[in-house]
Amino acid sequence: MTRVLIVGASLGALRTAEALRDQGFGASITIVGAEPHLPYDRPPLSKTVMTGASRLEGTALPLRRDLEVDWRLGRTAVSLDLQRRLVALADGVELPFDGLVLATGARARIPGSWAGVCGVHVLRGLDDARELRAALRDRPRRVAVLGAGFIGSEIAASIRALDVPVTLLDAATLPLEAAVGEQVAQYVAVQHRAHGVDLRTESRVAELELRNGALVGLRLADGTLIDADLAVVGFGVTPNTEWLEDSGLVLGDGIVCDAQLRTRTGAGPLPGVVAVADVARWPHPLAAGATVRIEHWSNAMTHGALAAHTLLHDLGVETTHSPARDIVPSFWTDLYATKILAVGLPALATASTVLSGSFEDGHGVVGYGRDGRLVGAVAINDPRSLAPYRRLLAAGSAWPPEPTTGANAPATSRSNEPRHYAEEQS
Ligand SMILES: Cc1cc2nc3c(=O)[nH]c(=O)nc-3n(C[C@H](O)[C@H](O)[C@H](O)COP(=O)(O)OP(=O)(O)OC[C@H]3O[C@@H](n4cnc5c(N)ncnc54)[C@H](O)[C@@H]3O)c2cc1C
């Protein structure tokens, strides 16, 4: 019997298992996950779970009855033997496979000497959210959020909802600038300040100030002391690939794949071994042949369907299914009352312009271009106006795009968007 093994038991793993069943795979699926939890949704962690506004248990992702997965939770994969087609776990157990899905995602980045310091947190998983929530319940004097990217900005906004003082620090000149460019970043900076965040850009933290082993402040590179008895580090993520270092797979800030998500060794593409979601680095059409790693919720869905199809093809399992070709990434974030929705890959852009609306009035769409092609669009409080740009991105539209209006746009298919977001918008 054909055996599929999935390593990593989160969103990417679940979406791939679902797609395997949808595409007619009836044999054995085993999912190994280092965390003790069944798959759960991470986006609510930084929005409502860490503040106590929603329950930790509410993040559990629904499990379909027809999945019939052999779950191995709280078990960590430590090596991959491609010749013997075995994955070894930390407890010495070896799991054989015919087809392998690598879905080990990423972990929060933190300077080594800061990890474990009393008062210093990261937010990647349910257990991190539980700890942060408990720390916030103790009413810290002032929280410092380090890194004003998507996660750092969301964390700062969520903590302000508790009326706790927040300092948000970033080395860049504006929050989110690298991800969404100046127009949206300016808007976000204004929102943070309007909600009482002490936003300090072009600020680098040099060291932690500790008293009796606990955090009391942060020393910046210019000598400034920032008061804080709680810090949340939002320095981005590191893909979980160390356990694959001796496997022969090609790695490089993720697991390098072809356009079908098939992994490779030095000898070329490796049939029957695919990677998905946050850990996969693949050539996206919008990146003009370059490989990208996309850390978005909706990407796990796209990858699940594509990887399942590739795997079944490689294993010689018959399937009539062809995966959806909707490979335009999308991402959303909630900051205060502002909803930001992005399509495409705005971070790749070398040019951007406001396409509609007015940021002074609190809504609008910005378009992003590179090498004469549209590569992304971001809507502030105006998700419906994004629908035509999504279609233009899928069609490989030129930059700048033809003017278009939200009113004329057909409704976007939301099948890729998470339940809570889609519900809020309808
Ligand atoms: C706080 C937060 C908020 C977010 N908000 C948004 C949002 O608003 N919008 C959006 O689009 N995206 C958001 N995301 C991103 C989204 O959640 C991720 O893209 C998604 O979780 C990726 O899923 P994944 O399965 O690739 O990896 P992960 O969710 O990282 O899961 C990987 C799993 O693999 C396990 N693992 C790792 N190594 C091993 C090993 N060796 N053996 C066994 N198991 C292993 C890990 O423990 C983990 O459980 C957010 C993420 C976070 C953390």
Side-chain angles (χ1 to χ4, degrees):
M1 192 167 74
T2 312
R3 296 152 304 181
V4 168
L5 176 62
I6 304 181
V7 185
S10 182
L11 187 66
L14 180 63
R15 292 295 178 252
T16 311
E18 288 168 347
L20 282 164
R21 294 298 185 222
D22 288 343
Q23 295 178 30
F25 183 67
S28 137
I29 301 178
T30 299
I31 301 185
V32 177
E35 293 183 74
H37 315 292
L38 282 164
Y40 58 88
D41 225 2
R42 293 177 200 264
L45 300 182
S46 50
K47 297 171 180 71
T48 49
V49 172
M50 58 172 258
T51 60
S54 67
R55 291 164 48 245
L56 288 155
E57 300 75 26
T59 59
L61 285 164
L63 295 181
R64 284 172 20 185
R65 273 161 193 249
D66 66 343
L67 269 190
E68 290 188 32
V69 160
D70 175 8
W71 296 98
R72 309 284 180 101
L73 299 175
R75 317 277 293 274
T76 303
V78 290
S79 66
L80 164 63
D81 184 335
L82 284 174
Q83 237 147 38
R84 294 166 60 219
R85 287 186 105 71
L86 289 174
V87 166
L89 306 186
D91 56 15
V93 169
E94 289 185 325
L95 296 175
F97 63 84
D98 300 298
L100 178 65
V101 181
L102 301 169
T104 47
R107 63 181 182 278
R109 205 178 289 147
I110 180 168
S113 60
W114 297 8
V117 171
C118 177
V120 179
H121 294 252
V122 293
L123 181 56
R124 179 72 195 179
L126 205 54
D127 298 333
D128 300 328
R130 187 177 283 116
E131 284 174 22
L132 187 52
R133 187 172 153 134
L136 288 168
R137 218 178 283 134
D138 289 345
R139 300 299 297 179
R141 187 175 66 245
R142 175 171 280 276
V143 181
V145 180
L146 281 58
F150 282 112
I151 299 289
S153 285
E154 280 189 1
I155 290 170
S158 298
I159 295 176
R160 283 304 297 142
L162 298 174
D163 208 22
V164 171
V166 173
T167 305
L168 176 59
L169 299 144
D170 201 294
T173 49
L174 285 169
L176 294 177
E177 194 173 11
V180 291
E182 198 186 332
Q183 294 98 334
V184 178
Q186 286 282 13
Y187 180 83
V188 170
V190 168
Q191 295 308 307
H192 279 315
R193 291 193 168 115
H195 287 83
V197 170
D198 177 11
L199 175 63
R200 310 247 184 147
T201 53
E202 299 183 57
S203 299
R204 281 177 198 280
V205 177
E207 56 188 345
L208 307 179
E209 293 282 324
L210 307 179
R211 192 175 306 140
N212 301 327
L215 185 78
V216 291
L218 304 166
R219 180 74 58 186
L220 302 187
D222 67 5
T224 309
L225 181 64
I226 302 287
D227 178 39
D229 53 346
L230 196 151
V232 192
V233 181
F235 284 169
V237 297
T238 303
N240 292 316
T241 55
E242 289 80 357
W243 69 285
L244 296 167
E245 260 156 22
D246 297 326
S247 66
L249 290 183
V250 179
L251 307 174
D253 184 35
I255 302 169
V256 179
C257 302
D258 66 14
Q260 274 64 50
L261 297 174
R262 196 176 282 112
T263 59
R264 19 184 337 112
T265 64
L270 179 64
V273 181
V274 292
V276 294
D278 280 23
V279 79
R281 172 168 285 281
W282 65 310
H284 195 282
L286 288 173
T291 56
V292 288
R293 220 166 40 72
I294 301 177
E295 298 164 12
H296 300 349
W297 195 97
S298 65
N299 185 52
M301 174 97 98
T302 313
H303 271 190
L306 181 55
H309 191 258
T310 301
L311 205 58
L312 296 184
H313 170 272
D314 289 355
L315 296 176
V317 177
E318 220 168 282
T319 168
T320 49
H321 185 95
S322 46
R325 286 278 146 213
D326 179 9
I327 53 165
V328 177
S330 65
F331 179 90
W332 83 101
T333 185
D334 299 340
L335 296 175
Y336 313 103
T338 297
K339 297 220 167 286
I340 301 178
L341 183 60
V343 290
L345 296 171
L348 298 181
T350 50
S352 63
T353 187
V354 177
L355 296 171
S356 66
S358 147
F359 282 14
E360 279 94 64
D361 296 342
H363 64 91
V365 175
V366 178
Y368 301 81
R370 183 192 178 108
D371 299 332
R373 279 191 68 185
L374 178 70
V375 293
V378 174
I380 303 280
N381 294 325
D382 191 8
R384 284 176 206 283
S385 294
L386 220 50
Y389 298 107
R390 185 181 194 123
R391 281 203 317 279
L392 289 175
L393 282 161
S397 166
W399 172 260
E402 293 289 318
T404 173
T405 67
N408 295 333
T412 314
S413 156
R414 298 239 174 76
S415 59
N416 257 358
E417 286 164 18
R419 239 173 332 129
H420 47 271
Y421 183 75
E423 278 163 12
E424 279 168 21
Q425 297 308 306
S426 55

